[in-house]
C-alpha cells in the first residue's frame, strides 16, 4: 500500500508525499499556486541525499513555475514533482505507474511532464494511470527546439533594446552548453549570421557545434573571459555568481539555463556593470508555452506553428520588461518578479 501524506507549507497550497514500498517510489509533489490555473511542471528524478533535500528542491522549482507561467501570461499555476532515485539505475515501469497514481490523487490540480532525469518514454508509462500528464510523443513532444526558439527571440529583443536593431549578423555570441537547447540555439544564431564561441564539458556536443556552425571552441572556464556581445548560458544553473559576474566581457546575458543567478545579488552586480540580463524564467519559457498546449488545447492535435507563434511573444514580453526596468532604474530580475506578483494579485482580486 502506498502511503500518502498531504500538508501545506508557508504559501504553498499543497505538498503531497508518497512512500510506496512495493514499487520503491518515494516522491514529492509541490503545488505552489493555482490562482491562474492548474499547476504545470515536470517531474525531476534525482539522487537526493534525503527527503528534506528532495522537498526543498520541489518547493524551489514549484515556485519558479508559478512565476514563469505568470510572466508568460499563461492561465496556469506552478507545481513540480521530484522522485528520489538514480535515473540511470532505479527506473522501473512499476515506479512510474505508482507515480502516475500519485498524480491522479490530485484530481488535475497538478499536471506533470518530463524534466531532468525523466523522459517522454517514462511519461508514457505515467499516462497508463493518469491523464494529467503533458509532453507525450502524441502531443507537444521534445520542448528543446521550441525553448531554443524562444531564447533566440529573447536575444533579438535584448539586442534591439541595446543597439536599436535586432540584426544579429556579425554579432558574437558565447554559448555555454551545446546540449539539447544550446545546439538548436547555435543553429538559429548561425542562420542569422552570428559568430559563435562555444564551450561544453562533452567533447561530442562541442564538436558538433564546431563542425556544423563553424563555432570557435574554448574551455569551460575560458567562456567567462571571452569578449563577445552576448553570453548565452545554456548548461547548468548558477553560472552567474560572485566570481563570474565580474569577469564577463559582454553587453548582454541571455540564455536558456534555469536559475542562472547563483544569488539575486549577482543580478544586481550585472546591473551595476551595465550588462543587460534577460531573466532566465522569462527567456526560457518556450518549453512551458509549448507543453501548455497539451493542457490548454486538450482536445486538439498539437499545432507546432501555433505553439511557435505563441513562443515568439517572448520578444514583446522581454522588450516591455527591459523598458520598465530602465524607467524604474531597477535590475531586470527584480522587475520580472514584480510582474509575476502583480499578475497573481490581479487574478486573486478578479
Ligand atoms: P542538456 O543536458 O541537453 O544540455 C546541457 C549541456 O551543458 C550538456 O551538453 C552538458 O554537457 C553541458 N554542460 C554541463 N556542465 C557544463 C559546464 N560546466 N560547462 C559547459 N557545458 C556544460 O540540457 P538542455 O535540455 O539543453 O537544457 C539546458 C538548460 O536549459 C538547463 O539549465 C535546463 O534546465 C534549461 N531549460 C531547458 C529547457 C528545455 O526545453 N530542454 C526548457 C527550459 C529551461
Amino acid at each position: 500500500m502506498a502511503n500518502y501524506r498531504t500538508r501545506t507549507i508557508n504559501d504553498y497550497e499543497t505538498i503531497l508525499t508518497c512512500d510506496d514500498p512495493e514499487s520503491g517510489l518515494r516522491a514529492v509533489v509541490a503545488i505552489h499556486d493555482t490562482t491562474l490555473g492548474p499547476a504545470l511542471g515536470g517531474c525531476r528524478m534525482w539522487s537526493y541525499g534525503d527527503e528534506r533535500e528532495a522537498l526543498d528542491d520541489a518547493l524551489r522549482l514549484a515556485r519558479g513555475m508559478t512565476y514563469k507561467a505568470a510572466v508568460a501570461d499563461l492561465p496556469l499555476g506552478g507545481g513540480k514533482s521530484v522522485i528520489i532515485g538514480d535515473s540511470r539505475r532505479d527506473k522501473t515501469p512499476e515506479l512510474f505507474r505508482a507515480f502516475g497514481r500519485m498524480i491522479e490523487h490530485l484530481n488535475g490540480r497538478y499536471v506533470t511532464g518530463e524534466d531532468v532525469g525523466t523522459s517522454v518514454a517514462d511519461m508514457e508509462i505515467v499516462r497508463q494511470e493518469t491523464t494529467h500528464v503533458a509532453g507525450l510523443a502524441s502531443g507537444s513532444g521534445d520542448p528543446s527546439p521550441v525553448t531554443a526558439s524562444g531564447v533566440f527571440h529573447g536575444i533579438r529583443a535584448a539586442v534591439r533594446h541595446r543597439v536599436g536593431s535586432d540584426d544579429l549578423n556579425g554579432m558574437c555570441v558565447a554559448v555555454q552548453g551545446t546540449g539539447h537547447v544550446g545546439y538548436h540555439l547555435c543553429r538559429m544564431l548561425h542562420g542569422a549570421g552570428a559568430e559563435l564561441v562555444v564551450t561544453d564539458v562533452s567533447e561530442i556536443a562541442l564538436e558538433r557545434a564546431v563542425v556544423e556552425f563553424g563555432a570557435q571552441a574554448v574551455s569551460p572556464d575560458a567562456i567567462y573571459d571571452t569578449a563577445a556581445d552576448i553570453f548565452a548560458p545554456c548548461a547548468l544553473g548558477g553560472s552567474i555568481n560572485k566570481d563570474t559576474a565580474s569577469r564577463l566581457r559582454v553587453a548582454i546575458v541571455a540564455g536558456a539555463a534555469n536559475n542562472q543567478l547563483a544569488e539575486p545579488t549577482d543580478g544586481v552586480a550585472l546591473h551595476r556593470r551595465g550588462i543587460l540580463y534577460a531573466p532566465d524564467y522569462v527567456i526560457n519559457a518556450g518549453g512551458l508555452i509549448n507543453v501548455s498546449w497539451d493542457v490548454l488545447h486538450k482536445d486538439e492535435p498539437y499545432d507546432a506553428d501555433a505553439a511557435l507563434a505563441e513562443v515568439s511573444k517572448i520578444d514583446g514580453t522581454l522588450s516591455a520588461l527591459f523598458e520598465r526596468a530602465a524607467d524604474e532604474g531597477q535590475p531586470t530580475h527584480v522587475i520580472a518578479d514584480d510582474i509575476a506578483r502583480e499578475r497573481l494579485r490581479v487574478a486573486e482580486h478578479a
Side-chain angles (χ1 to χ4, degrees):
M1 269 288 277
N3 295 309
Y4 292 114
R5 182 173 168 219
T6 307
R7 61 194 149 136
T8 53
I9 297 179
N10 300 330
D11 57 337
Y12 288 79
E13 288 179 15
T14 305
I15 312 297
L16 176 66
T17 50
C18 175
D19 188 350
D20 180 31
E22 217 162 287
S23 66
L25 178 71
R26 287 195 303 151
V28 182
V29 177
I31 299 180
H32 175 244
D33 193 302
T34 57
T35 307
L36 297 172
L40 175 61
C43 168
R44 183 163 293 193
M45 185 167 183
W46 195 254
S47 321
Y48 295 103
D50 54 32
E51 272 171 31
R52 182 74 232 180
E53 206 183 290
L55 175 66
D56 285 347
D57 206 27
L59 294 176
R60 183 179 61 83
L61 293 165
R63 181 190 295 275
M65 293 309 291
T66 300
Y67 280 47
K68 190 183 284 203
V71 177
D73 214 6
L74 292 167
L76 291 169
K80 204 88 180 186
S81 49
V82 301
I83 295 177
I84 302 172
D86 184 334
S87 62
R88 289 159 304 179
R89 235 187 30 210
D90 300 336
K91 284 186 180 182
T92 61
E94 292 71 33
L95 182 107
F96 283 106
R97 288 191 72 146
F99 177 68
R101 290 192 290 277
M102 179 183 184
I103 299 308
E104 186 62 17
H105 216 71
L106 290 159
N107 286 322
R109 288 183 55 230
Y110 167 70
V111 181
T112 196
E114 61 172 316
D115 195 73
V116 175
T118 61
S119 65
V120 172
D122 300 330
M123 292 305 132
E124 298 288 350
I125 302 171
V126 173
R127 176 69 181 82
Q128 293 172 18
E129 300 287 345
T130 183
T131 55
H132 306 303
V133 50
L136 301 175
S138 55
S140 60
D142 177 12
S144 305
V146 189
T147 300
S149 170
V151 174
F152 181 71
H153 284 293
I155 286 177
R156 287 177 44 155
V159 169
R160 193 182 326 108
H161 184 78
R162 258 286 128 86
V163 299
S165 148
D166 59 13
D167 185 0
L168 299 181
N169 194 25
M171 289 261 166
C172 181
V173 189
V175 181
Q176 180 186 45
T178 50
H180 287 100
V181 180
Y183 168 78
H184 288 289
L185 179 63
C186 286
R187 177 175 54 76
M188 291 168 200
L189 291 168
H190 178 66
E195 306 286 328
L196 299 173
V197 180
V198 293
T199 192
D200 199 293
V201 290
S202 153
E203 275 301 318
I204 298 169
L206 193 60
E207 192 59 22
R208 196 158 68 138
V210 169
V211 171
E212 292 188 29
F213 312 125
Q216 181 199 339
V218 296
S219 74
D221 190 56
I223 199 80
Y224 297 112
D225 305 311
T226 299
D229 297 294
I230 300 145
F231 174 56
C234 298
L236 305 178
S239 65
I240 311 291
N241 54 45
K242 254 197 206 103
D243 167 41
T244 60
S246 58
R247 282 168 64 187
L248 291 175
R249 297 165 65 200
V250 296
I252 292 166
V253 172
N258 277 312
N259 305 315
Q260 290 171 28
L261 303 176
E263 299 290 340
T265 47
D266 300 315
V268 176
L270 293 182
H271 176 67
R272 290 207 176 117
R273 290 194 58 210
I275 297 174
L276 181 65
Y277 170 59
D280 46 13
Y281 67 80
V282 183
I283 193 169
N284 74 13
L288 175 66
I289 295 169
N290 191 51
V291 78
S292 76
W293 184 275
D294 296 344
V295 181
L296 303 174
H297 305 272
K298 248 188 184 138
D299 304 321
E300 298 165 41
Y302 171 64
D303 181 339
D305 290 340
L308 282 168
E310 285 301 313
V311 168
S312 70
K313 294 180 184 166
I314 287 174
D315 182 322
T317 303
L318 271 173
S319 296
L321 190 156
F322 292 147
E323 271 168 38
R324 180 168 158 184
D327 287 349
E328 298 184 18
Q330 290 287 337
T332 51
H333 70 287
V334 172
I335 297 298
D337 286 0
D338 285 351
I339 293 171
R341 289 195 203 103
E342 285 160 16
R343 293 239 162 100
L344 290 165
R345 257 200 308 275
V346 168
E348 264 161 29
H349 295 110

